[in-house]
């Protein structure tokens, strides 16, 4: 039995809490089990939720999580930080006439505290921020925000969710980011895990300071020159190297070192669904990174730019529930502590996914299972230049999102999205859909373009909508003459070079995500110092000869210049008065202009230009894709000749190293009757 004394800012509060510590040889949901009812303690300054497994302390003013006690440790959160800089929600916003992805940073501060539910099995508390006209002078976002925390009996964790509301009569504004942040103790948590193949010991935040590290470009990247632990010397640390797609961000977190007094512990952020995250399943977001920090990203402009900034208009009512997410704690005394804690966290994640939607949140804005509906059907593809019959759309991504144009789900951030993948027969079933109006969207690996039905589907509580057999006809005018890459909305299949040995993250050596290494954009000039890339159809291999990003080249005088890539190909004959079709599918674009010329590199104006497009910054942030774009370009037969032809792809804008394009797939089609 232990007596615990907790030091908290604003005064010393002694709670003599008797906790039975049963350390088990196997990882468990709690590291200890308790039959204790959920309890609430409060005074003028603090609120404490306690179920005998963990205790969570909140500042009564603000609603910040100031301490998490677990497994005999007084606080898992960073005790060196101020009380409001440990566990919190924050938002970045700006006024409606502003542009860009930055703005006013606001840490959400609850000004009102309320107990919503209190019984032996469950405790739910609320911290609310209420907006009024006087809030404008304080630079507060025009939102009512209700932050909720739920603790259940015999549960080794804490559920966190929020309700954001903008009323019709309030000012218009923009929101680039909404998230929840947990900052853990750097003296305890040193091993990070975000996937089976993305786990490693991490450097300390002190190693990023100017006295120990050298800031690179972009400034989020730091070369560790004199780290406290010599093993990290010469590595690059960058939070964006640990980004993942929404669909893959289910569990991530940290593991502490085992000591003489404490077994190892795991701190995990579990996101059981991505229905409340902006941008759909392929949107990339941050996870965990040096701090040690774990994030739950709900809305962000990363890897997409201004296109995914949420814009709430005057006279527009908007309300959305973010979460619940689950903060899960586990412990282990095994020798192989990292695999055991990670595997247990994954098991817990599976349980949370299976339990979705939860039945315990008290807010009426959170839709329970009986308030939701489902949609099912079969997806097929019709491409007569591949098959005379419909093709089963195996592994297609299909989902419901608010009504819009094909592909609009990529930038949708006000409502909810519900996605699944089809089975081998093209069958899909999308369950637990919020009541509301939606379009059905899809995209199919192996085929270009986006599907969108032209009928708004209304989902009602308990409804089961059978959409029957859906047939998607991808863009196609004629037979494929040649193609480069795989239409999968990623540039991962192209040539990703070895990193500069001076800028390495050891995690990504010989790794499938080798594109996460720092500085790969600079390798283009190393590989092509004087002339640009030339790809010869029939001889070149896109896996070896097509650089993953069409970037600028830095000259010796420090200036940047645009680059022109060539695709050389032969035509055995050219159909007179025929129209050929060039399909350019782009996986990412950042402040670029793509110009296309055929057989005349100096043609002015070019036969096609995209104009200035893209703000996803995926090149700088080690992403292999951003927003998907498809251009379908007519090539008149008079532009082509029998035998040798060249298509010139020029990226003209060159103000820095991060302007460029990642191609997903390129295809040249002949006229419909081409032979």
């Amino acid at each position: 039995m232990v007596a615990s004394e907790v030091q908290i800012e604003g005064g010393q509060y002694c709670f003599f809490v008797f906790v039975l510590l049963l350390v088990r040889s196997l990882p468990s949901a709690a590291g200890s089990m308790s039959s204790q009812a959920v309890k609430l303690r409060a005074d003028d300054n603090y609120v404490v939720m306690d179920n005998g497994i963990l205790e969570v302390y909140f500042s009564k003013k603000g609603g910040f999580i100031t301490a998490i006690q677990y497994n005999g440790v007084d606080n898992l959160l960073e005790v060196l930080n101020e009380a409001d800089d440990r566990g919190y929600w924050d938002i970045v916003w700006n006024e409606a006439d502003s542009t860009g992805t930055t703005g006013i940073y606001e840490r959400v501060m609850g000004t009102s505290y309320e107990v919503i539910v209190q019984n032996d099995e469950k405790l739910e508390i609320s911290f609310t921020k209420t907006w009024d006209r006087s809030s404008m002078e304080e630079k507060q976002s025009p939102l009512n925000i209700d932050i909720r925390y739920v603790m259940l009996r015999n549960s080794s964790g804490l559920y966190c969710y929020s309700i954001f509301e903008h009323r019709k009569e309030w000012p218009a504004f923009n929101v680039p980011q909404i998230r929840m942040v947990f900052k853990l103790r750097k003296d305890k948590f040193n091993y990070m895990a975000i996937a089976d193949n993305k786990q490693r010991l991490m450097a300390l935040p002190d190693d990023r300071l100017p006295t120990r590290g050298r800031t690179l470009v972009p400034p989020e990247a730091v070369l560790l020159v004199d780290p406290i632990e010599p093993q990290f010397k010469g590595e690059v640390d960058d939070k964006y190297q640990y980004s993942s797609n929404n669909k893959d961000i289910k569990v991530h977190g940290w593991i502490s070192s085992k000591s003489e007094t404490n077994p190892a512990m795991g701190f995990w952020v579990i996101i059981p669904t991505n229905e409340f995250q902006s941008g759909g399943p392929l949107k990339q977001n941050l996870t965990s990174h040096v701090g040690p920090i774990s994030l739950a990203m709900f809305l962000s402009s990363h890897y997409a730019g201004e296109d995914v900034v949420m814009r709430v208009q005057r006279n527009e009512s908007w309300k959305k529930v973010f979460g619940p997410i689950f903060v899960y704690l586990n412990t282990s005394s095994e020798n192989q502590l990292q695999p055991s804690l990670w595997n247990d966290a994954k098991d817990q994640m599976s349980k949370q996914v299976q339990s979705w939607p939860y039945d315990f949140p008290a807010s009426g804005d959170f839709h329970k299972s009986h308030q939701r509906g489902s949609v099912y059907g079969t997806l097929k593809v019709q491409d007569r230049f591949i098959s005379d019959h419909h093709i089963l759309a195996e592994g297609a991504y299909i989902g419901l999102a608010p009504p819009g144009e094909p592909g609009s789900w990529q930038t949708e951030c006000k409502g909810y999205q519900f996605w699944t993948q089809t089975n081998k027969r093209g069958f899909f079933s999308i369950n637990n859909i919020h009541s509301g109006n939606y379009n059905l969207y899809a995209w199919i690996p192996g085929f270009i373009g986006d599907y969108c039905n032209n009928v708004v589907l209304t989902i009602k509580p308990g409804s089961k909508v059978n959409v029957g057999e859906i047939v998607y006809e991808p863009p196609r005018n004629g037979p494929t003459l040649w193609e480069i890459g795989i239409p999968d909305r990623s540039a991962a299949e192209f040539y990703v070079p070895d990193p500069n040995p001076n800028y390495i993250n050891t995690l990504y050596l010989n790794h499938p995500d080798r594109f996460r290494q720092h500085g790969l954009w600079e390798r283009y000039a190393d590989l092509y110092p004087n002339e640009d890339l030339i790809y010869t159809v029939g001889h070149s291999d896109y896996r070896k000869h097509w650089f993953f990003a069409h970037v600028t080249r830095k000259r010796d005088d420090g200036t940047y210049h645009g680059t022109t890539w060539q695709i050389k190909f032969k035509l055995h004959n050219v159909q007179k008065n025929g129209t050929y079709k060039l399909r350019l599918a782009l996986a990412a674009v950042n402040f670029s202009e793509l110009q296309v010329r055929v057989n005349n590199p100096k043609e002015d104006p070019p036969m096609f230009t995209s104009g200035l497009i893209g703000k996803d910054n995926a090149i700088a942030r080690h992403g292999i894709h951003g927003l998907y774009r498809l251009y379908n370009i007519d090539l008149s037969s008079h532009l082509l000749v029998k035998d040798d032809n060249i298509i010139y792809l020029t990226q003209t804008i060159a103000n820095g190293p991060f302007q460029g394009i990642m191609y997903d797939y390129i295809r040249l089609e002949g006229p419909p009757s081409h032979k």
Side-chain angles (χ1 to χ4, degrees):
M1 312 291 278
V2 296
S4 178
E5 185 177 60
V6 183
Q7 178 70 39
I8 307 177
E9 286 78 355
Q12 190 175 43
Y13 299 87
C14 298
F15 298 106
F16 290 90
V17 181
F18 295 94
V19 181
L20 178 63
L21 297 178
L22 177 59
V23 179
R24 298 165 58 163
S25 60
L26 294 174
S28 75
S32 61
M33 295 300 291
S34 173
S35 60
Q36 174 185 304
V38 186
K39 296 180 180 180
L40 177 69
R41 302 194 303 275
D43 60 22
D44 292 340
N45 297 293
Y46 291 94
V47 178
V48 184
M49 303 174 81
D50 178 6
N51 68 356
I53 300 171
L54 72 157
E55 298 175 57
V56 183
Y57 291 74
F58 303 86
S59 59
K60 206 166 189 179
K61 181 180 180 181
F64 306 114
I65 302 176
T66 63
I68 298 177
Q69 288 189 357
Y70 172 72
N71 205 39
V73 179
D74 282 346
N75 199 351
L76 303 186
L77 303 181
E78 184 52 85
V79 295
L80 300 177
N81 290 5
E82 296 296 328
D84 65 351
D85 191 30
R86 299 174 184 175
Y88 55 88
W89 293 71
D90 64 18
I91 178 173
V92 176
W93 68 281
N94 52 44
E95 296 176 352
D97 57 353
S98 300
T99 59
T101 58
T102 59
I104 301 167
Y105 175 81
E106 178 184 340
R107 191 164 295 172
V108 178
M109 183 172 180
T111 56
S112 178
Y113 158 70
E114 182 181 359
V115 178
I116 304 298
V117 177
Q118 184 177 9
N119 56 49
D120 289 351
E121 303 300 319
K122 181 177 74 171
L123 178 61
E124 181 166 340
I125 61 175
S126 166
F127 298 92
T128 57
K129 166 212 158 181
T130 304
W131 190 86
D132 58 33
R133 292 288 170 182
S134 64
S135 303
M136 296 179 68
E137 298 178 2
E138 301 173 15
K139 288 295 183 181
Q140 292 186 16
S141 55
L143 288 166
N144 284 344
I145 301 177
D146 184 356
I147 306 296
R148 301 285 186 98
Y149 298 102
V150 181
M151 182 176 282
L152 304 180
R153 189 170 187 163
N154 287 328
S155 173
S156 183
L158 179 73
Y159 294 90
C160 315
Y161 72 108
S162 66
I163 305 99
F164 279 54
E165 178 187 23
H166 177 270
R167 294 184 178 172
K168 184 176 181 180
E169 64 272 16
W170 290 352
F173 75 121
N174 303 332
V175 185
Q177 179 173 284
I178 298 172
R179 65 179 186 171
M180 192 175 187
V181 182
F182 297 95
K183 297 182 176 179
L184 309 182
R185 287 177 62 161
K186 65 181 181 182
D187 64 334
K188 291 191 177 296
F189 293 94
N190 63 348
Y191 187 89
M192 187 184 74
I194 58 178
D196 286 335
N197 63 352
K198 294 182 183 179
Q199 303 182 20
R200 61 164 297 170
L201 286 169
M202 295 290 283
L204 290 166
D206 311 66
D207 297 331
R208 293 177 55 89
L209 297 175
T211 53
R212 293 189 176 275
R214 177 163 62 87
T215 301
L216 303 174
V217 178
E220 292 88 353
V222 173
L223 179 65
L224 307 181
V225 178
D226 184 27
I228 294 171
E229 295 291 339
Q231 70 190 77
F232 300 115
K233 185 175 182 178
E235 286 207 48
V236 170
D237 176 73
D238 186 339
K239 63 183 179 181
Y240 291 110
Q241 291 180 320
Y242 306 111
S243 298
S244 293
N245 295 332
N246 278 344
K247 67 182 180 64
D248 301 320
I249 304 176
K250 295 296 185 184
V251 57
H252 62 90
W254 292 84
I255 294 172
S256 72
S257 299
K258 184 163 57 174
S259 68
E260 293 181 2
T261 56
N262 294 109
M265 296 173 291
F267 182 102
W268 309 101
V269 172
I270 294 176
I271 304 176
T273 175
N274 56 44
E275 68 181 44
F276 43 72
Q277 293 177 299
S278 64
L282 299 186
K283 172 70 171 63
Q284 292 182 87
N285 270 314
L286 295 166
T287 57
S288 291
H289 59 83
V290 157
I293 291 173
S294 278
L295 304 171
M297 303 295 299
F298 300 103
L299 186 156
S300 83
S301 58
H302 298 143
Y303 302 95
E306 282 191 65
D307 289 332
V308 294
V309 171
M310 185 177 74
R311 305 182 189 280
V312 181
Q313 307 300 322
R314 185 181 295 274
N315 297 321
E316 179 180 2
S317 297
W318 173 77
K319 182 184 282 190
K320 187 172 182 178
V321 178
F322 297 103
I325 64 167
F326 185 46
V327 178
Y328 175 62
L329 308 177
N330 61 1
T331 187
S332 174
S333 57
E334 288 187 349
N335 291 329
Q336 299 295 321
L337 61 95
Q338 286 140 1
S340 64
L341 288 169
W342 169 248
N343 289 333
D344 176 66
K346 288 197 300 178
D347 289 343
Q348 182 61 219
M349 177 269 291
S350 296
K351 293 176 183 177
Q352 297 298 322
V353 170
Q354 292 167 10
S355 299
W356 188 267
Y358 300 133
D359 60 4
F360 55 78
S363 171
D365 294 305
F366 179 79
H367 285 201
K368 309 297 193 300
S369 181
H370 69 275
Q371 297 172 289
R372 299 177 178 232
S374 62
V375 170
Y376 62 97
T378 301
L379 179 63
K380 297 182 178 181
V381 180
Q382 180 177 321
D383 187 335
R384 64 187 179 89
F385 289 95
I386 295 178
S387 173
D388 292 332
H389 306 284
H390 288 168
I391 303 166
L392 298 175
E394 178 182 356
Y397 291 81
I398 187 162
L400 293 179
E405 299 298 318
S408 61
W409 54 269
Q410 291 187 106
T411 56
E412 209 293 316
C413 48
K414 290 181 182 177
Y416 302 91
Q417 299 194 33
F418 305 87
W419 288 82
T420 190
Q421 282 188 270
T422 57
N423 66 13
K424 292 182 179 180
R425 304 294 299 173
F427 177 79
F428 64 91
S429 178
I430 307 171
N431 302 313
N432 297 313
I433 306 165
H434 274 245
S435 300
N437 295 324
Y438 302 91
N439 278 143
L440 187 66
Y441 301 90
W443 71 274
I444 306 164
F447 297 91
I448 59 175
D450 280 276
Y451 169 81
C452 177
N453 69 331
N454 56 9
V455 176
V456 173
L457 300 178
T458 299
I459 304 300
K460 299 178 180 179
S463 63
K464 297 181 180 180
V465 179
N466 181 1
V467 296
E469 183 177 290
I470 296 170
V471 178
Y472 170 54
E473 296 185 43
R476 170 72 78 170
N477 280 63
T480 298
L481 301 183
W482 52 259
E483 58 188 348
I484 301 172
I486 302 169
D488 59 0
R489 301 183 178 233
S490 166
E493 71 269 27
F494 296 125
Y495 178 67
V496 178
D498 292 331
N500 183 323
N502 296 321
Y503 303 114
I504 285 179
N505 183 323
T506 55
L507 174 63
Y508 294 111
L509 292 175
N510 301 313
H511 193 281
D513 290 358
R514 54 186 293 153
F515 54 82
R516 296 285 183 192
Q517 295 281 11
H518 178 82
L520 296 180
W521 54 87
E522 295 178 342
R523 300 287 286 120
Y524 178 78
D526 295 336
L527 295 169
Y528 301 93
N530 301 310
E531 297 182 352
D532 286 322
L533 182 151
I534 299 175
Y535 186 93
T536 302
V537 174
H539 295 280
S540 300
D541 182 341
Y542 63 78
R543 295 166 296 183
K544 300 177 181 179
H545 304 124
W546 189 272
F547 198 76
F548 78 102
H550 190 165
V551 292
T552 58
R553 177 189 286 105
K554 187 177 182 179
R555 297 283 178 84
D556 292 339
D557 61 2
T559 61
Y560 291 88
H561 292 260
T563 53
T564 297
W565 291 9
Q566 298 180 39
I567 304 173
K568 294 185 175 182
F569 61 98
K570 290 181 178 291
L571 292 177
H572 297 301
N573 63 77
V574 176
Q575 183 172 310
K576 293 183 179 180
N577 301 319
T579 299
Y580 292 70
K581 186 77 74 170
L582 180 65
R583 311 283 186 182
L584 291 174
L586 309 184
V589 187
N590 192 55
F591 288 100
S592 296
E593 179 184 2
L594 177 60
Q595 296 180 353
V596 178
R597 295 174 173 85
V598 180
N599 290 327
N600 181 2
K602 297 182 179 181
E603 181 183 10
D604 188 18
M607 60 87 54
F608 170 83
T609 179
S610 66
L612 178 62
I613 54 173
K615 297 180 181 180
D616 61 29
N617 214 18
I619 295 170
R621 289 175 172 166
H622 323 293
I624 202 64
H625 68 85
L627 293 180
Y628 176 80
R629 291 173 170 84
L630 176 63
Y631 292 96
N632 304 297
I633 303 167
D634 288 338
L635 302 184
S636 174
S637 59
H638 79 269
L639 296 172
L640 301 167
V641 296
K642 184 180 178 181
D643 293 327
D644 296 329
N645 292 266
I646 303 177
I647 289 177
Y648 298 90
L649 303 177
T650 302
Q651 199 296 102
T652 64
I653 302 177
N655 299 319
F658 304 128
Q659 289 160 311
I661 296 166
M662 292 184 190
Y663 298 95
D664 167 43
Y665 174 74
I666 302 175
R667 182 171 76 209
L668 180 66
E669 298 172 11
S673 59
H674 187 279
K675 295 182 180 180

